[in-house]
């Protein structure tokens, strides 16, 4: 089996090589401030098809296109409204993805045949350097097998996709740890499709109170599918912080705690504390790595403490709920060709 190269992102030679691979139609995993992305030239449908193949991602799930400068928008989207500009001024570069009407130059496979495209300008210096050096927009989903927990360090990418990508740029752990907030600017009212570290309140401050929360029951962003970010070990969310389950006799259970425990609890074989002081930013940063560590122990069940669904807490609980959802998504063999007609 081929082993993927993992190179330090701090070396400019690694960035040059990665950019060459992207231009040549290959796949590069790279750090962003949210999670690691699995990148390909967004304008090359064959390269993008490899992303779907490698992730085993269903072709109905569109990708985010990453850019480094606003000038790149001209190629990708139709008109940009005042509201769009305000969002970009306030949150770019950063963990916000904006859904806009696409131009024809964006291949259908990128958008799963939708007439819209999701665009993000990441702030991470490695992501910025890679996009600039490659000279093309980079389509990138999170660099994990479809449906599994997103990667927040190079080792996570290697564990999930190790032999299937051309290069992994190691830029250390991701500072935010949950995926970008997605805002659709398509309908009558702007709508948050996926909560992230840019909060609804912050968005409303910039473009007004009419922004809708992610309430729609229709699946627009497959990150909205009930089961996603899923561990192999079943997860149960506890009723409150400090609430404890009646662990069944032989059950080997793990606990994901939001803050430091007041005493050692021997009901659990393993405990992960997301932030000893209960800080939500620290909790978000540690969430996926902690879930992966617990998942690797082969336990029967993981119990997760909830946090307040305010601000970043909304994004954390969104990920935990999807992880805990019993509705396993049935993924049939992914078709690799967007046909623009779904
Ligand atoms: O933080 C992030 O956004 C990371 C990093 C790598 O940038 N990327 C990421 O990509 O989370 P992914 O593919 O795991 O999630 C992208 C989400 C999916 O839920 C997808 O359905 C949604 O974005 N999406 C993409 N294009 C869309 C569109 N045109 N309309 C609505 N949702 C869209
Ligand atoms: Mg993902």
């Amino acid at each position: 089996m081929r082993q993927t190269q993992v190179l330090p992102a701090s070396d400019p030679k690694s960035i040059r090589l990665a950019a060459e691979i992207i231009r040549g139609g290959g796949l590069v995993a790279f750090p962003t401030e949210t999670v690691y992305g699995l990148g390909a030239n967004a304008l090359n449908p064959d390269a993008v098809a490899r992303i779907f193949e490698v992730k085993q991602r269903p072709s109905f799930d569109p990708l985010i296109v990453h850019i480094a400068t606003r000038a790149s928008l001209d190629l990708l989207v139709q008109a940009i409204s005042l509201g769009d500009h305000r969002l970009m001024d306030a949150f770019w570069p950063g963990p916000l993805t904006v859904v806009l009407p696409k131009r024809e130059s964006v291949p259908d496979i990128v958008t799963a045949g939708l007439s819209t495209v999701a665009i993000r300008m990441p702030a991470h210096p490695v992501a910025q350097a890679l996009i600039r050096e490659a000279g093309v927009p980079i389509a990138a989903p999170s660099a994990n097998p479809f449906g599994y927990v997103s990667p927040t360090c190079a080792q996570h990418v290697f564990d999930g996709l190790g032999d299937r990508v051309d290069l992994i740029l190691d830029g250390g752990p991701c500072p935010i740890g949950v995926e970008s907030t997605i805002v659709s600017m398509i309908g009558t009212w702007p709508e948050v499709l996926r909560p992230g570290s840019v909060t609804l309140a912050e968005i409303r401050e910039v473009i007004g109170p009419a922004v809708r929360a992610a309430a729609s029951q229709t699946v627009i962003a497959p990150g909205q599918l009930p089961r996603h970010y899923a561990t192999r070990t079943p997860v149960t969310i506890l009723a409150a912080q400090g609430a404890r389950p009646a662990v069944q006799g032989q059950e080997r259970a793990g606990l994901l705690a939001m803050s430091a425990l007041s005493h050692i609890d021997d009901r659990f074989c393993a405990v992960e504390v997301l932030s000893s002081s209960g800080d939500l930013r620290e909790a978000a940063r540690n969430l996926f790595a902690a879930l992966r560590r617990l998942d690797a122990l082969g336990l029967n069940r993981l119990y997760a403490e909830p946090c307040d669904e305010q601000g970043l807490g909304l994004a954390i609980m969104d990920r935990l709920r999807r992880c805990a959802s019993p509705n396993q998504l049935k993924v049939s063999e992914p078709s690799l060709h967007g046909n623009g007609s779904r």
Side-chain angles (χ1 to χ4, degrees):
M1 197 182 282
R2 185 171 70 94
Q3 286 276 295
T4 299
Q5 281 197 86
V6 182
L7 295 179
S10 52
D11 183 349
K13 275 191 288 198
S14 313
I15 304 286
R16 283 200 292 275
L17 176 62
E20 261 172 47
I21 291 173
I22 295 280
R23 281 194 301 270
L27 299 187
V28 173
F30 63 98
T32 80
E33 66 275 32
T34 57
V35 299
Y36 273 68
L38 178 62
N41 177 355
L43 304 178
N44 176 340
D46 293 335
V48 174
R50 275 194 64 205
I51 294 180
F52 284 87
E53 193 176 51
V54 159
K55 273 192 66 123
Q56 291 289 297
R57 182 177 174 112
S59 60
F60 61 73
D61 192 356
L63 303 178
I64 296 173
V65 177
H66 297 68
I67 58 174
T69 62
R70 289 243 209 138
S72 316
L73 282 173
D74 297 343
L75 179 70
L76 303 171
V77 305
Q78 295 175 20
I80 302 171
S81 72
L82 187 60
D84 304 336
H85 276 298
R86 287 204 180 120
L87 277 183
M88 294 168 193
D89 289 344
F91 302 113
W92 278 7
L96 181 84
T97 297
V98 186
V99 176
L100 296 167
K102 86 173 186 83
R103 274 194 192 278
E104 277 199 357
S105 57
V106 182
D108 281 336
I109 188 168
V110 172
T111 62
L114 297 173
S115 59
T116 58
V117 61
I119 313 255
R120 163 155 132 79
M121 188 190 287
H124 196 292
V126 174
Q128 283 270 338
L130 176 63
I131 302 164
R132 283 172 199 273
E133 184 80 25
V136 291
I138 295 184
S142 51
N144 52 282
F146 181 72
Y148 193 61
V149 182
S150 297
T152 52
C153 67
Q155 184 66 46
H156 293 166
V157 180
F158 190 83
D159 292 345
L161 304 172
D163 54 332
R164 283 172 279 163
V165 303
D166 298 307
L167 174 66
I168 299 173
L169 283 175
D170 185 351
C174 300
I176 293 177
V178 290
E179 301 83 349
S180 61
T181 304
I182 304 179
V183 184
S184 167
M185 296 301 279
I186 299 298
T188 316
W189 309 112
E191 183 176 5
V192 174
L193 301 182
R194 179 175 71 183
S197 68
V198 173
T199 64
L200 183 61
E202 287 171 326
I203 293 171
R204 284 185 172 153
E205 248 172 57
V206 172
I207 52 171
V211 183
R212 291 194 301 178
S216 147
Q217 292 306 304
T218 47
V219 175
I220 305 169
Q224 295 176 289
L225 287 167
R227 185 161 169 86
H228 211 81
Y229 313 107
T231 46
R232 281 172 282 268
T233 320
V235 172
T236 300
I237 300 176
L238 294 166
Q241 277 184 41
R244 291 295 174 258
V247 174
Q248 306 301 321
Q250 293 303 307
E251 187 176 73
R252 296 179 65 242
L255 176 69
L256 186 73
M258 284 291 160
S259 55
L261 304 189
S262 54
H263 61 278
I264 293 171
D265 193 332
D266 57 15
R267 267 174 295 202
F268 301 106
C269 305
V271 177
E272 288 279 348
V273 174
L274 291 183
S275 164
S276 49
S277 64
D279 175 61
L280 286 181
R281 293 203 173 272
E282 189 182 8
R285 189 155 63 233
N286 291 328
L287 176 66
F288 289 146
L291 277 171
R292 282 166 177 266
R293 281 193 297 269
L294 287 172
D295 200 23
L297 300 176
L299 303 176
N300 303 113
R301 185 163 293 276
L302 306 178
Y303 292 94
E305 285 189 339
C307 63
D308 277 349
E309 293 195 64
Q310 293 295 324
L312 188 53
L314 206 60
I316 294 174
M317 286 309 293
D318 170 76
R319 306 312 189 268
L320 275 181
R321 283 221 178 80
R322 291 179 204 288
C323 183
S325 168
N327 304 335
Q328 180 65 65
L329 168 68
K330 297 242 182 337
V331 183
S332 53
E333 192 57 28
S335 142
L336 300 181
H337 306 285
N339 58 14
S341 62
R342 43 164 230 120

